[in-house]
Amino acid sequence: MNDTFTHKGMRKKLVNTLQRKGITDEEVLKAINAIPRHWFMDSGFVDHAYVDKAFPIAADQTISQPYTVARQTELLELKKGDKVLEIGTGSGYQCAVLVEMGMQVYTIERQNELFKKTNRFLPKIGYRPKKMIFGDGYKGLPEFAPFDGIIVTAGAPYVPKELLSQLKVGGRLVIPVGENVQIMTVFKRKSETEFEKKEYGEYRFVPLLEDKN
Ligand code: SAH
């Protein structure tokens, strides 16, 4: 797999676009600048890798739009070394962004075909999450909780209680909530029992589905 000057140049432009759209977190921008997004797409689609758009991957799923990846990551407000749970591994791109930023990443995917593909692919290109799990993200990952951050990369019809309960005090859950259109929602855990909720505009994700497949 190659990463040419042309790819790097296109990536730099993408980073500029994200800055123009309001992304300010330097660590996020650095990670996006560093990761060859075209490696996460089937080779015929390299030309689409550096436009700010979502794109189809295997099993009827999508690699999220770069702006969405950047925004969700920024909203997690992580610091290096934090423990993060991602629901919806998909292509592995969001996971790679978190690994590149120095996080300990746990990621869950419910589609077996995608899980197997990404499980082989990520280590091959040098991005190693702590754990990649084939399972149902609605349940979170109680055996590895609590987490500094939890990011859901599919549209959730409701907020799973399990995910809130697996946050550290001070940690954040970033989750798009809704059926057809989702509102990007952040829950910050203030104490064992209190959460602060904030909303950040509309997005469209593939649905968070129950059970694995
Ligand atoms: N983060 C991904 C985005 C993938 S799209 C990326 O960077 O490419 C959302 C993913 O969530 C899909 O792969 C879908 O199969 C997965 N998904 C949907 N419901 C899920 C669930 N309950 N648990 C785990 N993964 C789920």
Side-chain angles (χ1 to χ4, degrees), residues 57 59 61-64 69 86-95 108-111 114 135-138 153-154 205-211:
I57 52 171
Q61 299 304 320
T62 53
I63 178 170
S64 300
V69 172
E86 178 194 25
I87 312 296
T89 315
S91 69
Y93 180 71
Q94 170 74 67
C95 173
I108 310 180
E109 173 56 55
R110 71 173 284 282
Q111 280 267 4
L114 261 179
D136 178 6
Y138 273 95
T153 69
F205 284 79
V206 296
L208 187 69
L209 300 171
E210 307 266 356
D211 298 325

Side-chain angles (χ1 to χ4, degrees), residues 40 57-63 88-92 109-121 132 134 206 213:
F40 294 76
I57 52 171
D60 282 334
Q61 299 304 320
T62 53
I63 178 170
T89 315
S91 69
E109 173 56 55
R110 71 173 284 282
Q111 280 267 4
N112 197 243
E113 181 194 340
L114 261 179
F115 167 77
K116 285 195 289 196
K117 190 173 172 198
T118 305
N119 192 36
R120 273 195 305 270
F121 170 69
M132 289 187 61
F134 171 53
V206 296
N213 166 333

Side-chain angles (χ1 to χ4, degrees), residues 83 85 87 137-150 152 159-175 187-195:
K83 201 166 122 189
L85 174 63
I87 312 296
Y138 273 95
K139 302 188 176 72
L141 212 52
E143 57 276 43
F144 296 102
F147 298 95
D148 297 291
I150 302 180
V152 179
V159 181
K161 285 208 177 59
E162 285 79 356
L163 299 184
L164 289 171
S165 75
Q166 291 173 30
L167 277 180
K168 281 185 197 169
V169 171
R172 289 177 177 79
L173 167 64
V174 177
I175 181 169
F187 292 87
K188 181 177 181 191
R189 190 167 202 165
K190 306 292 273 183
S191 70
E192 277 307 309
T193 54
E194 294 160 293
F195 295 86

